């Protein structure tokens, strides 16, 4: 049995295979249509390989479906244990609650700064750095 990459890879792979089978095309046909190696598609369909965004878009385009169809109900938890169980929304709400600010205050500002003039990304590490620049 092939090694499984993740629960997410299994979900995505099953969806790719289902559409391919529904259309009645082979791995080789899909490989040619999508310009993705048919052996890679086989690994994706078995959940042994997780497709990158480009591959997912190429497969979806060749199959005539939206790339998002393959990602329906796939979450970060499907990739294994997460160190952080909170979302950005949770973090912003907690910071607003600590500072006494109500929800929605500071919209367009970096969370927790209290400044209404600072852009959302201007003071984040590396935000103004160009391509290849170190965040310090």
């Amino acid at each position: 049995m092939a090694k499984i990459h993740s629960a997410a890879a299994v979900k995505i792979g099953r969806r790719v295979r289902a559409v391919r089978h529904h259309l009645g095309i082979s791995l080789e046909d899909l490989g040619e249509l999508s310009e993705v190696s048919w052996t890679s598609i086989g690994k994706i369909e078995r959940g042994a390989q997780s497709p990158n965004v480009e591959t997912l878009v190429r497969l979806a385009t060749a199959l005539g479906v939206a790339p998002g169809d393959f990602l329906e109900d796939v979450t970060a938890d499907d990739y294994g244990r997460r160190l952080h169980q909170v979302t950005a929304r949770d973090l912003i709400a907690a910071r607003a609650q600590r500072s006494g600010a109500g929800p929605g205050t500071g919209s367009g500002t970096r969370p927790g700064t209290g400044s209404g003039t600072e852009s959302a990304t201007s003071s984040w590490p590396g935000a103004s750095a160009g391509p290849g620049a170190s965040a310090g």
Side-chain angles (χ1 to χ4, degrees), residues 28-44:
E28 292 85 356
D29 290 336
L30 181 54
E32 187 173 329
L33 293 169
S34 64
E35 299 179 356
V36 174
S37 160
W38 68 268
T39 57
S40 292
I41 298 169
K43 290 175 187 176
I44 290 166

Side-chain angles (χ1 to χ4, degrees), residues 4-134:
I4 300 300
H5 184 274
S6 64
V10 170
K11 284 181 182 180
I12 293 165
R14 285 181 181 159
R15 292 170 184 166
V16 170
R17 177 178 283 154
V19 175
R20 182 177 63 78
H21 281 180
H22 176 76
L23 295 173
I25 63 174
S26 68
L27 282 170
E28 292 85 356
D29 290 336
L30 181 54
E32 187 173 329
L33 293 169
S34 64
E35 299 179 356
V36 174
S37 160
W38 68 268
T39 57
S40 292
I41 298 169
K43 290 175 187 176
I44 290 166
E45 288 187 356
R46 291 189 306 276
Q49 180 176 318
S50 188
N52 65 30
V53 174
E54 179 182 353
T55 298
L56 198 64
V57 170
R58 286 179 178 275
L59 293 173
T61 300
L63 293 168
V65 299
D69 291 349
F70 295 138
L71 300 175
E72 185 77 27
D73 298 323
V74 173
T75 68
D77 292 328
D78 292 325
Y79 286 98
R81 184 175 167 270
R82 291 174 43 208
L83 295 176
H84 303 288
Q85 295 295 317
V86 297
T87 64
R89 184 175 301 198
D90 298 332
L91 178 66
I92 292 166
R95 285 181 176 170
Q97 189 174 30
R98 275 197 318 257
S99 69
T105 61
S107 178
T109 64
R110 180 176 155 212
T113 62
S115 165
T117 60
E118 190 171 10
S119 83
T121 58
S122 66
S123 63
W124 289 92
S128 61
S134 173

